[in-house]
Amino acid sequence: MKNIYFTAGPAALHPKFEEFIHQAIDEQIGSISHRSAQFRKIYQHCVENLRTLMNIPASSAILFTGSASEVWERILLNLVEHESFHLVNGSFSDKFYKYALSSQKFAHKYEKPLGEGFSYAEIEVPDYAELICVTQNETSTGVQMREADIHKLKRSNQKKLMAVDMVSSAPIPELDFDLIDTAFFSVQKAFGLPAGLGVWIANEKCLEKSKKLSKIDNINIGAHHNLPVLWKNYENFETPATPNVLGIYLLGKVAEEMNKIGIDAIRKESEEKAKKIYKYLETSSLCSAAVKNPEHRSKTVAVADTSKPSKGIMEALKAKNMIIGSGYGPNKDSQIRISNFPSNSMEQVETLLEALKELE
Amino acid sequence: MKNIYFTAGPAALHPKFEEFIHQAIDEQIGSISHRSAQFRKIYQHCVENLRTLMNIPASSAILFTGSASEVWERILLNLVEHESFHLVNGSFSDKFYKYALSSQKFAHKYEKPLGEGFSYAEIEVPDYAELICVTQNETSTGVQMREADIHKLKRSNQKKLMAVDMVSSAPIPELDFDLIDTAFFSVQKAFGLPAGLGVWIANEKCLEKSKKLSKIDNINIGAHHNLPVLWKNYENFETPATPNVLGIYLLGKVAEEMNKIGIDAIRKESEEKAKKIYKYLETSSLCSAAVKNPEHRSKTVAVADTSKPSKGIMEALKAKNMIIGSGYGPNKDSQIRISNFPSNSMEQVETLLEALKELE
């Protein structure tokens, strides 16, 4: 019997994954040249469907890397000459911050304890920060930053660039890509695909900045996957190096499928499943929402404090072929993490909650 | 009817690819955590089979990146403080050299015209070069550097590190990994897998050097996939970021399958197919070996000058469901490229040569 994955990524695969992989085998996608018209069509198809799905303007480029973690580095090298500013409230936002330090940037951070989120009004952006780095969904703690707060933060810092990590939430948040300069995600979360592909959205202001930086002595924007080279290739729907062609093909198929359903319907279903999960956590004696402020609770990764060690809960669910995640880092044993991605149906979520109830 | 690919990569898939992908689907490899025991076993299985196949000592790490092109950058950032030295005789060896310039290293090169190769005796390595960069198989021109020449070059430069690009030849060349410090390849060539995974082999001298560089002010060894972080994770058969789990699983399966046949038998068959191809090129009125010195002719990517425009030849073969590559760069219209990877059988090579004969 197959497992149902409710993990934060790698996660449950899209219900049509097997159908799409068989199409890929039939079309010999694993063998086609990344310099062929066939590949350019695959890239274009993927871009067009992501544009529709996430309402990304035609002026922004959609680029492919090996992972979203790679994009952290590419953004810091290409968009920051001296100083970046990071909102940090968990392992992944902290990694983004630490990548800035490793990239020898002067990195500022505004840090909050695990489980707490950021509201627009409390954030003071340092004067000299060139880039504001926001983690829309902090996968380690299940904390989200609401779209409205992200938008206000950018509007009040028009001259700075803003980067949004939406690794474990895209395409669910309704972000305004006319406002946000750059964002990125990976495919093994809400898109329900095997890992191995990062997606980087960037606007023309980002390109301009990276070109400016490339002319400054002692600034290294990177040899591999720097923004000007990625962008130039993107204009022909190509990539500088051989990319994960199969991954791009599958992402295009999943995005197309999502567009058939419609992003509004997908977001509405996510919202309803999230409500069901958090409602259960409010009344359960086994687990309670780890994020106290309901406005900061993630719609895609719910984290719960548990009254029993998480290991036992995970094992009991595994015996019923349901896989959830442990807490992250210091909360490994005292929390569980349940993803709420589009690949898991309402029925599957209900089955999981029933199984949790039986463990109370 | 399916095409038979004789392209230089992406290329023909391994004959058991479909079987392995179905196993992966059954085992839900696309959903498993990269922090699970199940993933660590997959990494370990892949490493052990590559070690056996390519005779890689236990003291060398086997690491995964998004692509082999990424490894160019990682090697230059982690192994060069000031100066690198490159043997350049085609587009890919030139890209390695240009990545060094983009990484703000002082890069020396010894360059030869397209179609010519390097012999040990003629190479003078600059005194201050810290790293010698050799392209064992130059995919763009079909020129190889023989293993014996590579080994002599390293032996006479013991204090320098040596990096070998074996992107389009691994595991065919019999390289001495007790001697060579670092090498890398991608999986969409001779391993017959879809693109999206780079493999980086590095010894302890490389690790030592990268750790030394990490302590020097103004030297940036990279935030993402730097060698010390990759190595530390590798020790537990993990990766710092979510890798292409499916790609690693499939590579382990293909390497295991190759070990069942035995590397000697695979190399012998490659040699025999190469002989057949080059023998045909010696007598054909349609095409002749582009590499004049037989010792420098690649065993895995044969390049031929054509007496008619390459486009017509490629189209005529495509009508018979055989896909070959055009020449690269300036030789696009006047050359063809035929891969000779283990996934193509002797029978397929014979069919291709027959079809070429009919076009004479």
Side-chain angles (χ1 to χ4, degrees), chain A residues 103-146:
Chain A
S103 302
Q104 306 190 321
K105 307 300 176 185
F106 190 89
H108 305 264
K109 66 173 165 176
Y110 174 37
E111 194 165 13
K112 284 219 166 173
L114 301 184
E116 291 188 24
F118 298 98
S119 298
Y120 159 70
E122 63 187 340
I123 301 165
E124 280 182 54
V125 181
D127 282 352
Y128 292 104
E130 300 148 64
L131 178 74
I132 303 170
C133 299
V134 171
T135 302
Q136 194 281 325
N137 197 61
E138 173 51 66
T139 324
S140 66
T141 56
V143 176
Q144 70 161 345
M145 185 158 167
R146 286 167 305 173

mmCIF file of all heavy atoms in Angstrom, chain A residues 103-146:
data_model
loop_
_atom_site.group_PDB
_atom_site.id
_atom_site.type_symbol
_atom_site.label_atom_id
_atom_site.label_comp_id
_atom_site.label_asym_id
_atom_site.label_seq_id
_atom_site.Cartn_x
_atom_site.Cartn_y
_atom_site.Cartn_z
ATOM 1 N N SER A 103 28.487 35.177 1.523
ATOM 2 C CA SER A 103 28.754 35.871 0.256
ATOM 3 C C SER A 103 29.457 37.210 0.500
ATOM 4 O O SER A 103 29.596 38.013 -0.411
ATOM 5 C CB SER A 103 27.439 36.114 -0.502
ATOM 6 O OG SER A 103 26.774 34.893 -0.738
ATOM 7 N N GLN A 104 29.891 37.408 1.744
ATOM 8 C CA GLN A 104 30.653 38.594 2.143
ATOM 9 C C GLN A 104 29.894 39.897 1.950
ATOM 10 O O GLN A 104 30.463 40.927 1.590
ATOM 11 C CB GLN A 104 32.015 38.592 1.427
ATOM 12 C CG GLN A 104 32.743 37.255 1.683
ATOM 13 C CD GLN A 104 34.181 37.244 1.226
ATOM 14 O OE1 GLN A 104 34.500 37.790 0.183
ATOM 15 N NE2 GLN A 104 35.049 36.635 2.007
ATOM 16 N N LYS A 105 28.588 39.815 2.208
ATOM 17 C CA LYS A 105 27.770 41.025 2.220
ATOM 18 C C LYS A 105 27.612 41.461 3.687
ATOM 19 O O LYS A 105 27.700 40.635 4.607
ATOM 20 C CB LYS A 105 26.393 40.773 1.598
ATOM 21 C CG LYS A 105 26.420 40.160 0.200
ATOM 22 C CD LYS A 105 27.152 41.019 -0.814
ATOM 23 C CE LYS A 105 27.229 40.320 -2.172
ATOM 24 N NZ LYS A 105 28.029 41.086 -3.138
ATOM 25 N N PHE A 106 27.325 42.739 3.871
ATOM 26 C CA PHE A 106 27.002 43.213 5.205
ATOM 27 C C PHE A 106 25.514 42.966 5.400
ATOM 28 O O PHE A 106 24.683 43.664 4.824
ATOM 29 C CB PHE A 106 27.363 44.698 5.336
ATOM 30 C CG PHE A 106 27.283 45.175 6.748
ATOM 31 C CD1 PHE A 106 28.387 45.091 7.597
ATOM 32 C CD2 PHE A 106 26.092 45.670 7.263
ATOM 33 C CE1 PHE A 106 28.302 45.502 8.916
ATOM 34 C CE2 PHE A 106 26.000 46.084 8.589
ATOM 35 C CZ PHE A 106 27.113 46.001 9.418
ATOM 36 N N ALA A 107 25.201 41.945 6.193
ATOM 37 C CA ALA A 107 23.800 41.516 6.301
ATOM 38 C C ALA A 107 23.206 41.938 7.637
ATOM 39 O O ALA A 107 23.729 41.607 8.705
ATOM 40 C CB ALA A 107 23.709 40.006 6.134
ATOM 41 N N HIS A 108 22.121 42.698 7.582
ATOM 42 C CA HIS A 108 21.359 43.064 8.768
ATOM 43 C C HIS A 108 20.237 42.053 8.948
ATOM 44 O O HIS A 108 19.725 41.512 7.974
ATOM 45 C CB HIS A 108 20.670 44.423 8.579
ATOM 46 C CG HIS A 108 21.587 45.535 8.205
ATOM 47 N ND1 HIS A 108 22.106 46.405 9.119
ATOM 48 C CD2 HIS A 108 22.069 45.922 6.998
ATOM 49 C CE1 HIS A 108 22.873 47.289 8.497
ATOM 50 N NE2 HIS A 108 22.869 47.021 7.214
ATOM 51 N N LYS A 109 19.817 41.848 10.205
ATOM 52 C CA LYS A 109 18.612 41.032 10.374
ATOM 53 C C LYS A 109 17.711 41.600 11.468
ATOM 54 O O LYS A 109 18.176 42.237 12.412
ATOM 55 C CB LYS A 109 18.962 39.569 10.672
ATOM 56 C CG LYS A 109 19.661 39.315 11.988
ATOM 57 C CD LYS A 109 19.787 37.809 12.231
ATOM 58 C CE LYS A 109 20.795 37.539 13.357
ATOM 59 N NZ LYS A 109 20.902 36.121 13.711
ATOM 60 N N TYR A 110 16.412 41.381 11.295
ATOM 61 C CA TYR A 110 15.448 41.630 12.371
ATOM 62 C C TYR A 110 14.912 40.249 12.707
ATOM 63 O O TYR A 110 14.266 39.612 11.877
ATOM 64 C CB TYR A 110 14.349 42.573 11.872
ATOM 65 C CG TYR A 110 13.212 42.782 12.854
ATOM 66 C CD1 TYR A 110 13.436 42.866 14.233
ATOM 67 C CD2 TYR A 110 11.907 42.910 12.401
ATOM 68 C CE1 TYR A 110 12.391 43.056 15.117
ATOM 69 C CE2 TYR A 110 10.850 43.114 13.287
ATOM 70 C CZ TYR A 110 11.099 43.173 14.648
ATOM 71 O OH TYR A 110 10.060 43.360 15.523
ATOM 72 N N GLU A 111 15.223 39.800 13.915
ATOM 73 C CA GLU A 111 14.941 38.401 14.256
ATOM 74 C C GLU A 111 13.821 38.292 15.289
ATOM 75 O O GLU A 111 13.739 39.095 16.208
ATOM 76 C CB GLU A 111 16.216 37.740 14.803
ATOM 77 C CG GLU A 111 16.113 36.236 14.871
ATOM 78 C CD GLU A 111 17.470 35.553 15.072
ATOM 79 O OE1 GLU A 111 18.449 36.245 15.394
ATOM 80 O OE2 GLU A 111 17.525 34.321 14.905
ATOM 81 N N LYS A 112 13.003 37.273 15.110
ATOM 82 C CA LYS A 112 11.941 36.997 16.078
ATOM 83 C C LYS A 112 12.070 35.549 16.549
ATOM 84 O O LYS A 112 12.629 34.705 15.841
ATOM 85 C CB LYS A 112 10.585 37.188 15.406
ATOM 86 C CG LYS A 112 10.226 38.650 15.240
ATOM 87 C CD LYS A 112 8.753 38.824 15.523
ATOM 88 C CE LYS A 112 8.402 40.254 15.713
ATOM 89 N NZ LYS A 112 6.931 40.394 15.812
ATOM 90 N N PRO A 113 11.546 35.247 17.725
ATOM 91 C CA PRO A 113 11.617 33.857 18.212
ATOM 92 C C PRO A 113 10.861 32.907 17.270
ATOM 93 O O PRO A 113 9.931 33.336 16.567
ATOM 94 C CB PRO A 113 10.921 33.924 19.574
ATOM 95 C CG PRO A 113 10.923 35.365 19.956
ATOM 96 C CD PRO A 113 10.876 36.139 18.678
ATOM 97 N N LEU A 114 11.244 31.641 17.310
ATOM 98 C CA LEU A 114 10.582 30.617 16.491
ATOM 99 C C LEU A 114 9.081 30.636 16.788
ATOM 100 O O LEU A 114 8.678 30.695 17.942
ATOM 101 C CB LEU A 114 11.147 29.224 16.805
ATOM 102 C CG LEU A 114 12.651 29.013 16.584
ATOM 103 C CD1 LEU A 114 13.031 27.558 16.850
ATOM 104 C CD2 LEU A 114 13.070 29.415 15.174
ATOM 105 N N GLY A 115 8.278 30.596 15.740
ATOM 106 C CA GLY A 115 6.827 30.561 15.939
ATOM 107 C C GLY A 115 6.175 31.928 15.852
ATOM 108 O O GLY A 115 4.960 32.034 15.848
ATOM 109 N N GLU A 116 7.002 32.990 15.807
ATOM 110 C CA GLU A 116 6.421 34.334 15.691
ATOM 111 C C GLU A 116 6.613 34.882 14.280
ATOM 112 O O GLU A 116 7.566 34.541 13.592
ATOM 113 C CB GLU A 116 7.053 35.278 16.720
ATOM 114 C CG GLU A 116 6.642 34.898 18.138
ATOM 115 C CD GLU A 116 7.076 35.919 19.177
ATOM 116 O OE1 GLU A 116 7.280 37.096 18.826
ATOM 117 O OE2 GLU A 116 7.217 35.514 20.344
ATOM 118 N N GLY A 117 5.697 35.754 13.892
ATOM 119 C CA GLY A 117 5.729 36.302 12.537
ATOM 120 C C GLY A 117 5.949 37.797 12.530
ATOM 121 O O GLY A 117 6.106 38.426 13.587
ATOM 122 N N PHE A 118 5.987 38.372 11.347
ATOM 123 C CA PHE A 118 6.255 39.797 11.181
ATOM 124 C C PHE A 118 5.029 40.526 10.644
ATOM 125 O O PHE A 118 4.366 40.048 9.722
ATOM 126 C CB PHE A 118 7.408 40.005 10.191
ATOM 127 C CG PHE A 118 8.701 39.404 10.662
ATOM 128 C CD1 PHE A 118 9.115 38.157 10.205
ATOM 129 C CD2 PHE A 118 9.489 40.076 11.580
ATOM 130 C CE1 PHE A 118 10.311 37.593 10.645
ATOM 131 C CE2 PHE A 118 10.681 39.527 12.029
ATOM 132 C CZ PHE A 118 11.089 38.278 11.559
ATOM 133 N N SER A 119 4.751 41.693 11.235
ATOM 134 C CA SER A 119 3.725 42.567 10.684
ATOM 135 C C SER A 119 4.438 43.808 10.153
ATOM 136 O O SER A 119 5.479 44.206 10.688
ATOM 137 C CB SER A 119 2.715 42.958 11.760
ATOM 138 O OG SER A 119 2.076 41.786 12.231
ATOM 139 N N TYR A 120 3.849 44.389 9.138
ATOM 140 C CA TYR A 120 4.480 45.521 8.463
ATOM 141 C C TYR A 120 4.918 46.625 9.422
ATOM 142 O O TYR A 120 6.072 47.096 9.379
ATOM 143 C CB TYR A 120 3.508 46.076 7.411
ATOM 144 C CG TYR A 120 3.809 47.487 7.022
ATOM 145 C CD1 TYR A 120 4.960 47.770 6.279
ATOM 146 C CD2 TYR A 120 2.986 48.540 7.417
ATOM 147 C CE1 TYR A 120 5.266 49.078 5.934
ATOM 148 C CE2 TYR A 120 3.291 49.843 7.073
ATOM 149 C CZ TYR A 120 4.426 50.107 6.342
ATOM 150 O OH TYR A 120 4.746 51.392 6.003
ATOM 151 N N ALA A 121 4.015 47.015 10.326
ATOM 152 C CA ALA A 121 4.224 48.226 11.128
ATOM 153 C C ALA A 121 5.467 48.177 12.010
ATOM 154 O O ALA A 121 6.066 49.199 12.307
ATOM 155 C CB ALA A 121 2.984 48.482 11.982
ATOM 156 N N GLU A 122 5.881 46.970 12.393
ATOM 157 C CA GLU A 122 6.991 46.874 13.355
ATOM 158 C C GLU A 122 8.374 46.826 12.690
ATOM 159 O O GLU A 122 9.387 46.825 13.379
ATOM 160 C CB GLU A 122 6.798 45.608 14.196
ATOM 161 C CG GLU A 122 6.864 44.353 13.334
ATOM 162 C CD GLU A 122 6.501 43.069 14.080
ATOM 163 O OE1 GLU A 122 6.565 43.054 15.316
ATOM 164 O OE2 GLU A 122 6.159 42.089 13.409
ATOM 165 N N ILE A 123 8.392 46.760 11.359
ATOM 166 C CA ILE A 123 9.671 46.547 10.667
ATOM 167 C C ILE A 123 10.354 47.875 10.343
ATOM 168 O O ILE A 123 9.762 48.739 9.692
ATOM 169 C CB ILE A 123 9.459 45.739 9.360
ATOM 170 C CG1 ILE A 123 8.819 44.389 9.686
ATOM 171 C CG2 ILE A 123 10.780 45.554 8.612
ATOM 172 C CD1 ILE A 123 8.247 43.666 8.486
ATOM 173 N N GLU A 124 11.594 48.005 10.793
ATOM 174 C CA GLU A 124 12.390 49.177 10.406
ATOM 175 C C GLU A 124 13.520 48.718 9.500
ATOM 176 O O GLU A 124 14.383 47.956 9.924
ATOM 177 C CB GLU A 124 12.968 49.855 11.637
ATOM 178 C CG GLU A 124 11.952 50.741 12.344
ATOM 179 C CD GLU A 124 12.575 51.440 13.539
ATOM 180 O OE1 GLU A 124 13.609 52.114 13.366
ATOM 181 O OE2 GLU A 124 12.035 51.281 14.644
ATOM 182 N N VAL A 125 13.496 49.184 8.293
ATOM 183 C CA VAL A 125 14.506 48.746 7.321
ATOM 184 C C VAL A 125 15.714 49.670 7.419
ATOM 185 O O VAL A 125 15.564 50.894 7.353
ATOM 186 C CB VAL A 125 13.924 48.777 5.888
ATOM 187 C CG1 VAL A 125 14.961 48.291 4.881
ATOM 188 C CG2 VAL A 125 12.659 47.926 5.805
ATOM 189 N N PRO A 126 16.921 49.113 7.589
ATOM 190 C CA PRO A 126 18.113 49.967 7.676
ATOM 191 C C PRO A 126 18.274 50.811 6.403
ATOM 192 O O PRO A 126 18.027 50.323 5.296
ATOM 193 C CB PRO A 126 19.263 48.967 7.795
ATOM 194 C CG PRO A 126 18.646 47.688 8.226
ATOM 195 C CD PRO A 126 17.254 47.688 7.699
ATOM 196 N N ASP A 127 18.717 52.045 6.589
ATOM 197 C CA ASP A 127 18.836 52.999 5.473
ATOM 198 C C ASP A 127 19.631 52.461 4.286
ATOM 199 O O ASP A 127 19.249 52.652 3.144
ATOM 200 C CB ASP A 127 19.530 54.286 5.949
ATOM 201 C CG ASP A 127 18.571 55.171 6.719
ATOM 202 O OD1 ASP A 127 17.356 54.846 6.739
ATOM 203 O OD2 ASP A 127 19.033 56.165 7.316
ATOM 204 N N TYR A 128 20.765 51.815 4.579
ATOM 205 C CA TYR A 128 21.654 51.458 3.480
ATOM 206 C C TYR A 128 21.392 50.073 2.887
ATOM 207 O O TYR A 128 22.112 49.633 2.001
ATOM 208 C CB TYR A 128 23.114 51.579 3.925
ATOM 209 C CG TYR A 128 23.489 53.025 4.184
ATOM 210 C CD1 TYR A 128 23.597 53.514 5.481
ATOM 211 C CD2 TYR A 128 23.694 53.899 3.125
ATOM 212 C CE1 TYR A 128 23.916 54.845 5.718
ATOM 213 C CE2 TYR A 128 24.010 55.231 3.346
ATOM 214 C CZ TYR A 128 24.119 55.701 4.645
ATOM 215 O OH TYR A 128 24.432 57.023 4.864
ATOM 216 N N ALA A 129 20.381 49.384 3.401
ATOM 217 C CA ALA A 129 20.068 48.067 2.841
ATOM 218 C C ALA A 129 19.605 48.233 1.391
ATOM 219 O O ALA A 129 18.739 49.059 1.102
ATOM 220 C CB ALA A 129 18.992 47.378 3.664
ATOM 221 N N GLU A 130 20.204 47.448 0.489
ATOM 222 C CA GLU A 130 19.806 47.520 -0.924
ATOM 223 C C GLU A 130 18.692 46.532 -1.233
ATOM 224 O O GLU A 130 17.959 46.680 -2.200
ATOM 225 C CB GLU A 130 21.013 47.182 -1.817
ATOM 226 C CG GLU A 130 22.190 48.114 -1.651
ATOM 227 C CD GLU A 130 23.500 47.380 -1.874
ATOM 228 O OE1 GLU A 130 23.727 46.900 -2.998
ATOM 229 O OE2 GLU A 130 24.301 47.277 -0.909
ATOM 230 N N LEU A 131 18.633 45.473 -0.430
ATOM 231 C CA LEU A 131 17.698 44.380 -0.699
ATOM 232 C C LEU A 131 17.012 43.957 0.597
ATOM 233 O O LEU A 131 17.680 43.727 1.608
ATOM 234 C CB LEU A 131 18.472 43.183 -1.286
ATOM 235 C CG LEU A 131 17.666 41.923 -1.579
ATOM 236 C CD1 LEU A 131 16.794 42.113 -2.824
ATOM 237 C CD2 LEU A 131 18.597 40.715 -1.782
ATOM 238 N N ILE A 132 15.688 43.853 0.542
ATOM 239 C CA ILE A 132 14.911 43.356 1.687
ATOM 240 C C ILE A 132 14.556 41.900 1.405
ATOM 241 O O ILE A 132 13.944 41.598 0.377
ATOM 242 C CB ILE A 132 13.622 44.185 1.877
ATOM 243 C CG1 ILE A 132 13.965 45.668 2.067
ATOM 244 C CG2 ILE A 132 12.805 43.655 3.046
ATOM 245 C CD1 ILE A 132 12.739 46.578 2.023
ATOM 246 N N CYS A 133 14.955 40.996 2.292
ATOM 247 C CA CYS A 133 14.729 39.561 2.074
ATOM 248 C C CYS A 133 13.647 39.055 3.025
ATOM 249 O O CYS A 133 13.826 39.083 4.247
ATOM 250 C CB CYS A 133 16.016 38.781 2.294
ATOM 251 S SG CYS A 133 17.323 39.279 1.150
ATOM 252 N N VAL A 134 12.562 38.620 2.442
ATOM 253 C CA VAL A 134 11.383 38.205 3.198
ATOM 254 C C VAL A 134 11.117 36.728 2.916
ATOM 255 O O VAL A 134 11.172 36.296 1.766
ATOM 256 C CB VAL A 134 10.168 39.036 2.729
ATOM 257 C CG1 VAL A 134 8.886 38.501 3.320
ATOM 258 C CG2 VAL A 134 10.363 40.506 3.077
ATOM 259 N N THR A 135 10.832 35.967 3.963
ATOM 260 C CA THR A 135 10.440 34.578 3.770
ATOM 261 C C THR A 135 8.926 34.501 3.949
ATOM 262 O O THR A 135 8.431 34.621 5.070
ATOM 263 C CB THR A 135 11.191 33.664 4.762
ATOM 264 O OG1 THR A 135 12.597 33.858 4.543
ATOM 265 C CG2 THR A 135 10.847 32.205 4.548
ATOM 266 N N GLN A 136 8.216 34.360 2.850
ATOM 267 C CA GLN A 136 6.748 34.396 2.925
ATOM 268 C C GLN A 136 6.238 33.257 3.783
ATOM 269 O O GLN A 136 5.316 33.422 4.557
ATOM 270 C CB GLN A 136 6.145 34.326 1.510
ATOM 271 C CG GLN A 136 4.666 34.700 1.435
ATOM 272 C CD GLN A 136 3.749 33.576 1.872
ATOM 273 O OE1 GLN A 136 4.028 32.404 1.634
ATOM 274 N NE2 GLN A 136 2.643 33.927 2.522
ATOM 275 N N ASN A 137 6.861 32.084 3.626
ATOM 276 C CA ASN A 137 6.448 30.933 4.421
ATOM 277 C C ASN A 137 7.684 30.265 5.015
ATOM 278 O O ASN A 137 8.500 29.711 4.279
ATOM 279 C CB ASN A 137 5.692 29.932 3.535
ATOM 280 C CG ASN A 137 4.892 28.942 4.338
ATOM 281 O OD1 ASN A 137 3.996 29.326 5.067
ATOM 282 N ND2 ASN A 137 5.240 27.661 4.239
ATOM 283 N N GLU A 138 7.838 30.387 6.326
ATOM 284 C CA GLU A 138 8.997 29.803 7.001
ATOM 285 C C GLU A 138 8.668 28.330 7.290
ATOM 286 O O GLU A 138 7.930 28.009 8.228
ATOM 287 C CB GLU A 138 9.295 30.611 8.266
ATOM 288 C CG GLU A 138 10.362 30.039 9.183
ATOM 289 C CD GLU A 138 11.668 29.679 8.499
ATOM 290 O OE1 GLU A 138 12.365 30.565 8.005
ATOM 291 O OE2 GLU A 138 11.983 28.455 8.452
ATOM 292 N N THR A 139 9.228 27.457 6.454
ATOM 293 C CA THR A 139 8.897 26.029 6.469
ATOM 294 C C THR A 139 9.193 25.359 7.805
ATOM 295 O O THR A 139 8.568 24.367 8.162
ATOM 296 C CB THR A 139 9.707 25.297 5.373
ATOM 297 O OG1 THR A 139 9.826 26.142 4.234
ATOM 298 C CG2 THR A 139 9.060 24.004 4.971
ATOM 299 N N SER A 140 10.169 25.893 8.536
ATOM 300 C CA SER A 140 10.594 25.219 9.772
ATOM 301 C C SER A 140 9.624 25.465 10.923
ATOM 302 O O SER A 140 9.533 24.648 11.838
ATOM 303 C CB SER A 140 12.000 25.675 10.169
ATOM 304 O OG SER A 140 12.005 27.044 10.519
ATOM 305 N N THR A 141 8.908 26.587 10.887
ATOM 306 C CA THR A 141 8.058 26.940 12.028
ATOM 307 C C THR A 141 6.586 27.103 11.661
ATOM 308 O O THR A 141 5.749 27.294 12.546
ATOM 309 C CB THR A 141 8.538 28.274 12.647
ATOM 310 O OG1 THR A 141 8.534 29.263 11.608
ATOM 311 C CG2 THR A 141 9.931 28.151 13.235
ATOM 312 N N GLY A 142 6.265 27.053 10.375
ATOM 313 C CA GLY A 142 4.873 27.196 9.955
ATOM 314 C C GLY A 142 4.344 28.611 10.126
ATOM 315 O O GLY A 142 3.154 28.800 10.372
ATOM 316 N N VAL A 143 5.240 29.582 9.978
ATOM 317 C CA VAL A 143 4.829 30.982 10.097
ATOM 318 C C VAL A 143 4.791 31.613 8.710
ATOM 319 O O VAL A 143 5.732 31.477 7.936
ATOM 320 C CB VAL A 143 5.820 31.771 10.985
ATOM 321 C CG1 VAL A 143 5.444 33.253 11.033
ATOM 322 C CG2 VAL A 143 5.863 31.189 12.395
ATOM 323 N N GLN A 144 3.715 32.310 8.419
ATOM 324 C CA GLN A 144 3.640 33.007 7.137
ATOM 325 C C GLN A 144 3.734 34.513 7.364
ATOM 326 O O GLN A 144 3.459 35.018 8.456
ATOM 327 C CB GLN A 144 2.325 32.693 6.424
ATOM 328 C CG GLN A 144 1.101 33.323 7.091
ATOM 329 C CD GLN A 144 -0.115 33.421 6.184
ATOM 330 O OE1 GLN A 144 -0.011 33.278 4.985
ATOM 331 N NE2 GLN A 144 -1.263 33.686 6.769
ATOM 332 N N MET A 145 4.124 35.231 6.327
ATOM 333 C CA MET A 145 3.988 36.685 6.342
ATOM 334 C C MET A 145 2.892 36.989 5.337
ATOM 335 O O MET A 145 2.950 36.546 4.182
ATOM 336 C CB MET A 145 5.292 37.373 5.959
ATOM 337 C CG MET A 145 5.200 38.885 6.087
ATOM 338 S SD MET A 145 6.823 39.642 6.278
ATOM 339 C CE MET A 145 6.403 41.375 6.005
ATOM 340 N N ARG A 146 1.872 37.701 5.786
ATOM 341 C CA ARG A 146 0.719 37.938 4.916
ATOM 342 C C ARG A 146 1.100 38.796 3.720
ATOM 343 O O ARG A 146 1.950 39.687 3.812
ATOM 344 C CB ARG A 146 -0.399 38.609 5.716
ATOM 345 C CG ARG A 146 -1.106 37.644 6.672
ATOM 346 C CD ARG A 146 -1.970 38.405 7.638
ATOM 347 N NE ARG A 146 -1.168 39.407 8.347
ATOM 348 C CZ ARG A 146 -1.692 40.318 9.156
ATOM 349 N NH1 ARG A 146 -2.994 40.374 9.342
ATOM 350 N NH2 ARG A 146 -0.908 41.174 9.776
#
